[in-house]
């Protein structure tokens, strides 16, 4: 029902009177005195924000360090070089073969579309025995070693895992190591081998590197070593795994999450070097003769 006009006028009159009263109260405030305002944060309070966590922060577990590395993975110029037909990798490796150590410098161009490509190999003479330690002098000797070029037809130069790789760490771990072995002593070692094999056989982009770090974070008994320098003089964060009679060391570049090197020593009846690999360069190329960068 519509409100009577007389009642409406009465309300308006009351509101007007209240307005006059409030104005009078405000004007009676002593000079220089202001009305209280809501409390605001002090400049000190406003500037205190929690800094991003770093993988080198004290007190973190190895798992937390690897997950922090994964969360902070940055991009590389090669990540942006999409659309180029070839994946390029350059590695140097020392590998046990029965009672000797083989020494190999390998450049590999793989055409992603059809698994064709080319490899250029430089081999130094094998070293007898298993106690050999790789040296910088050997790295220098690769430059003058005899070159062998091997072409590969379509389908002959397979990737370590078929692309696209799983984006979930648990799914990628299953692709790298059989899940039925998860309770066996050898499982952590197999899983780390898988991550190393993946990084030394195909290019891993920013998201894929992030996922591999999350795989490593779930490896039982992985340990943190602090900053380490590899044989190529590059500094990264070191992680080790001792399992199934061997100790493996990984060195990871903290800003990009790239695996720089991996080395494994075995114990038991025939102790000594099992493998050592340096990943010197990786990226994409327009053909099977050019390299994407000039890293050492």
């Amino acid at each position: 029902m519509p409100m009577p006009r007389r009642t409406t006028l009465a309300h308006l009159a009351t509101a007007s009177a209240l307005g006059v009263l409030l104005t009078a109260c405000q004007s009676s405030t002593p000079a220089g005195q202001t009305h209280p305002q809501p409390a605001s944060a002090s400049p000190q309070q406003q500037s205190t924000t929690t800094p991003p966590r770093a993988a080198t922060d004290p007190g973190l577990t190895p798992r937390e360090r690897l997950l922090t590395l994964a969360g902070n993975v940055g991009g590389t110029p090669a990540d942006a070089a999409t659309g180029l037909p070839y994946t390029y990798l350059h590695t140097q490796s020392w590998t046990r073969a029965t009672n000797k150590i083989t020494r190999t410098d390998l450049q590999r161009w793989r055409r992603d579309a059809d698994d064709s490509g080319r490899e250029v190999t430089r081999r130094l003479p094998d070293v007898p025995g298993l106690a050999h330690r790789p040296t910088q002098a050997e790295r220098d000797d690769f430059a003058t070693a005899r070159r062998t070029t091997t072409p590969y037809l379509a389908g002959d130069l397979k990737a370590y895992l078929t692309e696209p790789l799983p984006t979930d760490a648990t799914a990628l771990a299953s692709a790298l190591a059989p899940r039925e072995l998860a309770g066996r002593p050898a499982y952590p070692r197999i899983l780390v081998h898988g991550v190393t094999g993946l990084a030394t056989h195909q290019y891993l982009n920013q998201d894929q590197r992030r996922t591999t770090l999350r795989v490593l974070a779930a490896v039982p008994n992985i340990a943190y070593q602090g900053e380490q320098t590899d044989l190529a003089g590059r500094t990264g964060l070191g992680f080790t795994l001792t399992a199934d009679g061997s100790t493996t060391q990984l060195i990871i570049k903290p800003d990009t999450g790239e695996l720089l090197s991996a080395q494994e020593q075995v114990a038991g009846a025939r102790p000594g070097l099992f493998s050592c690999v340096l990943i010197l360069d990786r990226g994409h190329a327009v053909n099977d003769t050019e390299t994407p960068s000039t890293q050492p």
Side-chain angles (χ1 to χ4, degrees), residues 150-216:
T150 305
Y152 292 89
L153 299 176
D156 289 343
L157 195 58
K158 299 287 189 182
Y160 192 83
L161 288 181
T162 303
E163 296 276 3
L165 299 180
T167 57
D168 174 74
T170 301
L172 180 58
S174 297
L176 293 171
R179 292 296 297 173
E180 56 267 24
L181 299 179
R184 307 283 183 87
Y187 178 73
R189 181 187 185 195
I190 296 171
L191 196 53
V192 171
H193 278 188
V195 170
T196 302
L198 185 61
T200 54
H201 284 81
Q202 63 196 84
Y203 184 82
L204 300 178
N205 63 30
Q206 185 177 3
D207 289 337
Q208 291 168 338
R209 296 193 300 272
R210 183 177 293 114
T211 305
T212 59
L213 290 172
R214 288 173 176 153
V215 169
L216 290 175

Side-chain angles (χ1 to χ4, degrees), residues 77-78 80-87 110-113 283-287 290 292:
T82 56
L84 299 182
Y86 286 87
T87 294
R110 188 176 71 85
R111 186 177 177 87
D112 300 327
H284 305 287
V286 297
N287 54 46
E290 294 186 9

Side-chain angles (χ1 to χ4, degrees), residues 99-118:
N99 292 317
K100 60 186 179 182
I101 302 296
T102 65
R103 302 177 292 174
T104 307
D105 180 290
L106 176 65
Q107 292 174 283
R108 178 188 295 120
W109 292 261
R110 188 176 71 85
R111 186 177 177 87
D112 300 327
D114 63 1
D115 294 335
S116 64
R118 189 171 71 97

Side-chain angles (χ1 to χ4, degrees), residues 96-100 130 266-272:
R96 175 187 292 223
T98 313
N99 292 317
K100 60 186 179 182
L130 303 176
V266 295
R270 300 173 62 219

Side-chain angles (χ1 to χ4, degrees), residues 15-27:
S16 177
L18 287 173
V20 171
L21 179 61
L22 288 172
T23 302
C25 291
Q26 291 172 348
S27 63

Side-chain angles (χ1 to χ4, degrees), residues 235-289:
T235 299
L237 302 187
F239 294 87
T240 59
L241 173 71
T242 299
D244 194 37
S246 81
T247 298
T248 302
Q249 180 196 56
L250 306 177
I251 298 180
I252 298 169
K253 190 176 180 183
D255 56 340
T256 62
E258 295 171 288
L259 179 64
L260 299 177
S261 66
Q263 180 167 310
E264 182 179 6
Q265 295 278 331
V266 295
R270 300 173 62 219
L273 181 69
F274 185 79
S275 67
C276 174
V277 60
L278 304 173
I279 306 176
L280 300 175
D281 200 359
R282 69 205 101 193
H284 305 287
V286 297
N287 54 46
D288 65 355
T289 58

